[in-house]
Amino acid sequence: MHNDADTMFAQMMIVHHEGAIEMADLALEKADSEEVRSLAERISSAQGPEIDEMTSWLEAWGEETSPTGGMEGMDHGGMEMEGMSQEEAMAELESLSGAEFDRRFLELMIAHHRGAVDMAQEELQGGENPQALDLGQKIVDDQEREIAEMEQLLETL
């Protein structure tokens, strides 16, 4: 049992999580602080299995694993960070180093997580699949906790 909201949530969250993992993997290479590297490792290790889980649902539901009709119906804010696309954000992060990288990574990941929370809340309001609803709530809880952690880290940089 699933509806269009469940399908859209899984398709879009896969893309969104892939972006977070791409950013986190870069932070593992470039971050100056151990706290930022540790956070990046946790983000990557949590979101990889969630991608696998959502992919398996879509396959079981007979749905495409990537969004087909573009992004309509989904708030574009979920896919952008401070008005930047994933590619623009990655290019900016690639150009930075040291504490400057750490600060910008945290700022962009906070914006990225807020987009994921918004997308998960849309699922909680409109979805019907129990597993998707459970994952939506888990994403809200996990990412709000990580946002608070990143805001605290920013104060120490």
Side-chain angles (χ1 to χ4, degrees):
M1 174 176 89
H2 73 286
N3 65 14
D4 289 346
D6 297 319
T7 301
M8 180 68 80
F9 167 69
Q11 290 172 337
M12 299 304 290
M13 194 60 77
I14 288 169
V15 173
H16 202 264
H17 273 17
E18 287 169 346
I21 290 170
E22 183 182 21
M23 290 169 64
D25 288 349
L26 183 64
L28 288 171
E29 290 174 32
K30 295 189 69 154
D32 198 42
S33 95
E34 186 54 46
E35 293 87 356
V36 171
R37 275 195 302 280
S38 172
L39 172 74
E41 177 62 43
R42 282 183 280 128
I43 288 170
S44 189
S45 62
Q47 294 191 14
E50 289 176 357
I51 289 172
D52 294 342
E53 183 178 16
M54 290 181 286
T55 300
S56 71
W57 298 341
L58 290 165
E59 290 168 351
W61 298 341
E63 302 284 356
E64 296 290 326
T65 55
S66 58
T68 47
M71 307 283 189
E72 60 263 9
M74 180 57 65
D75 175 15
H76 257 312
M79 302 306 289
E80 293 183 352
M81 294 151 284
E82 299 180 358
M84 285 191 291
S85 69
Q86 178 73 23
E87 294 75 25
E88 291 165 332
M90 287 299 293
E92 180 180 344
L93 288 171
E94 294 268 1
S95 74
L96 301 174
S97 61
E100 195 179 6
F101 172 89
D102 290 5
R103 174 173 297 284
R104 195 63 182 137
F105 169 78
L106 292 170
E107 291 168 352
L108 291 172
M109 190 59 82
I110 287 168
H112 200 268
H113 271 30
R114 286 188 176 133
V117 168
D118 290 346
M119 291 164 61
Q121 287 172 332
E122 284 183 33
E123 168 61 15
L124 293 173
Q125 291 167 6
E128 70 178 22
N129 180 274
Q131 292 172 296
L133 290 165
D134 287 349
L135 182 61
Q137 187 61 58
K138 180 181 185 304
I139 288 170
V140 169
D141 295 344
D142 291 352
Q143 298 208 6
E144 284 182 342
R145 187 174 53 253
E146 288 173 355
I147 288 168
E149 179 183 348
M150 289 186 280
E151 287 172 337
Q152 285 186 311
L153 279 172
L154 272 173
E155 290 175 17
T156 67
L157 290 178

